[in-house]
Amino acid sequence: MRRALTALCLCAPLLYGNAVAENLKGNAVVLRTLDKVTATTKDYTVKIGDELQYGSLTVAVKHCEKKPPEDVPETYAFLQIDDLKRDGKGDDGQDVRVFSGWMLASNPAISALDHGVYDIWVIDCIVPAVKGLR
């Protein structure tokens, strides 16, 4: 009996395969912004491929994914953020890349925007509804 149980335990993964679900790819990202000067926050929903103009920042949303509901919750997005730096002489200024990478919703401090006036966090990744599921 013990041998049969051991054999079943060893063979079960081979019979059922990997039960790892794929990440869900989103079509929009929910970002939370903070203006440190005025202490105001606001949430924005930005479609993948679009840009958000926030103060002197331009936030380009490139991609987002979230773990499926049966996994440990995690949402992450790939963002590129440029800051319009002015020269103080009235000229237009130029964009400087201040962030490019993945931001995690569960722990924004791991990969955060380092800016003196603004903070931006990923809140959610909007995933299209799957037909047949509620």
Side-chain angles (χ1 to χ4, degrees), residues 20-109:
V20 176
E22 299 251 341
N23 287 343
L24 305 172
K25 291 177 180 49
N27 57 12
V29 175
V30 179
L31 300 173
R32 180 161 295 153
T33 60
L34 167 67
D35 183 326
K36 298 175 191 176
V37 175
T38 61
T40 56
T41 63
K42 187 169 181 184
D43 290 354
Y44 296 92
T45 300
V46 184
K47 291 181 181 177
I48 302 299
D50 286 353
E51 294 180 344
L52 167 68
Q53 291 295 139
Y54 180 70
S56 65
L57 300 179
T58 302
V59 182
V61 177
K62 302 296 185 178
H63 186 85
C64 79
E65 293 186 19
K66 67 190 328 180
K67 295 283 189 179
E70 60 271 9
D71 286 354
V72 175
E74 183 59 85
T75 299
Y76 44 94
F78 190 83
L79 307 176
Q80 291 181 326
I81 304 174
D82 295 332
D83 191 8
L84 181 61
K85 300 286 186 181
R86 305 225 179 242
D87 62 3
K89 299 177 185 173
D91 293 332
D92 284 343
Q94 89 184 55
D95 285 328
V96 175
R97 176 80 28 99
V98 292
F99 180 86
S100 181
W102 293 95
M103 278 194 187
L104 305 173
S106 67
N107 198 343

